[in-house]
Amino acid sequence: MSDLDYKPKKIFTVEQANAMLPLVAVIASDLARLSQEVMDRRQRLAHVAADRELSTGDPYDDELALVERELERDTQRLREYVRELCELGVEPKGAEEGLVDFPCMMDGRLVYLCWKVGEPEVLYWHELDTGFTGRQPLTAGTVADDADDADDSAGMLDS
């Protein structure tokens, strides 16, 4: 998909993104914490399973099956956290880091406001194709001129 085909669910101003941040921060923090736990448990389970031969009547089979069911349940919870963020119009980009992007209009073009768990507010932005490594600090007035464009664009996207 090219940048021209991309149609975000919502366009944010910096002020709108920061106003939504308390809710986004809770969800993104839960996502980051659980994502790390699931990754760690999957690695431990793979290590344990790799060293075992399956045999009938093995007393640990039930325990391993329970751990796998818990991992599947937690994986579903991760999907729900991602869905919640998407429904808010934000885009989760890095579950383990708690990285979230807010679509925004800047100088007449679509960019992302970029935030990650632990940051006090939205302080960075980047082009659609540069990702986290292309983050640049917001400066006074960086996106303020496009606030009216964001309101207009958001209305068009919701219809």
Side-chain angles (χ1 to χ4, degrees), residues 35-59:
S35 179
Q36 189 61 53
E37 288 175 15
V38 166
M39 283 181 32
D40 291 346
R41 284 187 285 155
R42 283 195 190 283
Q43 288 175 347
R44 287 194 308 270
L45 181 63
H47 180 71
V48 168
D51 293 341
R52 299 179 46 78
E53 288 185 33
L54 297 177
S55 61
T56 307
D58 186 333

Side-chain angles (χ1 to χ4, degrees), residues 16-26 102 115 119-122:
Q16 291 167 333
N18 280 321
M20 188 175 285
L21 206 50
L23 176 58
V24 169
V26 169
F102 297 79
W115 176 85
E119 294 177 342
E121 61 185 301
V122 176

Side-chain angles (χ1 to χ4, degrees), residues 44-120:
R44 287 194 308 270
L45 181 63
H47 180 71
V48 168
D51 293 341
R52 299 179 46 78
E53 288 185 33
L54 297 177
S55 61
T56 307
D58 186 333
Y60 296 108
D61 282 349
D62 290 341
E63 187 173 348
L64 288 174
L66 174 65
V67 169
E68 288 174 354
R69 284 191 304 274
E70 289 173 349
L71 277 170
E72 184 53 41
R73 184 195 71 227
D74 286 344
T75 299
Q76 182 58 37
R77 284 180 46 211
L78 289 172
R79 288 185 197 108
E80 290 169 11
Y81 290 144
V82 168
R83 181 187 51 76
E84 287 178 28
L85 290 169
C86 291
E87 285 178 359
L88 294 172
V90 301
E91 300 181 16
K93 297 296 174 117
E96 298 85 33
E97 303 87 10
L99 186 59
V100 177
D101 285 343
F102 297 79
C104 175
M105 292 302 292
M106 180 187 298
D107 297 329
R109 70 187 192 286
L110 196 55
V111 299
Y112 286 125
L113 299 174
C114 186
W115 176 85
K116 107 180 196 181
V117 169
E119 294 177 342

